[in-house]
Amino acid sequence: IRAYEQEVLAGIDAWLASGDVDPARVGLFGASMGAVVGTRVLAAEPRLSAAALCIGGGDLADVLLRARDKEIGQWRRDVASQRGVPAEALREELEALLDPVDPLRVADRVRAQTLFVGARFDLVVPWANNTRLWHALGRPRRITLPCGHYSTAVFARWIARRTVRWFDAGLTGR
């Protein structure tokens, strides 16, 4: 997560250093893990004045323990089996590993106008975790979709249009 965050920040620096980009018109879009990393980038980068964060959440250890996704469930079982403990016993280890990079730790530093999109029936990033990040961000403008994590793809064109309108207003003042 830290490496991904640093790559995005370096990309923003390089892009803005090119002189071809108006710094007042740079925003950030992040979906799923991109929303997690995007929150951290927004907290660290005050030049970003608008953002759209989709289907992300906070308390990453809790997300991994509560997700009802086949692959994540198998990963939990494998890790717990390797350690000879029940899956819930992984909480302490996951918290120690993930809390330092959790978006909840930095969300209160985000100043960008943020559009926040959640999937009400998300089994990968449970609704409670999506809501935790939304609250930590100061309850920005929120759209709730009637779908799950992967089925958010059905709304991709609609999300894109809403995001463009959001950026158009947030990055141009219109």
Side-chain angles (χ1 to χ4, degrees):
I1 290 173
R2 283 191 177 118
Y4 186 6
E5 175 187 352
Q6 291 306 310
E7 287 176 14
V8 173
L9 289 167
I12 292 167
D13 283 341
W15 201 22
L16 292 175
S18 73
D20 297 331
V21 179
D22 178 356
R25 294 184 47 85
V26 177
L28 179 140
F29 178 89
S32 194
M33 180 57 79
V36 169
V37 173
T39 299
R40 294 184 54 80
V41 167
L42 291 164
E45 180 51 79
R47 296 176 291 183
L48 297 173
S49 57
L53 302 174
C54 300
I55 62 173
D59 192 344
L60 298 176
D62 192 59
V63 168
L64 288 175
L65 290 170
R66 294 185 56 224
R68 294 182 312 203
D69 175 78
K70 181 180 175 183
E71 286 80 18
I72 295 173
Q74 186 61 54
W75 175 84
R76 273 192 312 257
R77 288 187 295 279
D78 290 348
V79 172
S81 175
Q82 289 169 2
R83 287 165 173 70
V85 300
E88 185 57 34
L90 298 173
R91 181 173 297 279
E92 189 174 310
E93 186 177 348
L94 288 171
E95 286 175 349
L97 180 67
L98 296 171
D99 281 0
V101 294
D102 198 287
L104 297 180
R105 294 177 63 89
V106 297
D108 64 336
R109 296 196 300 246
V110 172
R111 298 294 170 249
Q113 296 178 50
T114 302
L115 175 64
F116 194 81
V117 179
R120 182 63 182 95
F121 306 108
D122 196 331
L123 299 179
V124 177
V125 178
W127 181 248
N129 300 92
N130 179 267
T131 299
R132 283 184 195 148
L133 182 55
W134 177 66
H135 277 283
L137 287 164
R139 300 173 60 158
R141 170 76 173 103
R142 185 182 201 181
I143 296 171
T144 302
L145 300 174
C147 61
H149 196 80
Y150 301 117
S151 56
T152 302
V154 171
F155 295 92
R157 291 177 59 130
W158 184 82
I159 292 168
R161 285 193 303 272
R162 290 295 299 260
T163 300
V164 167
R165 286 200 315 254
W166 180 259
F167 284 151
D168 192 39
L171 296 173
T172 64
R174 287 189 270 161

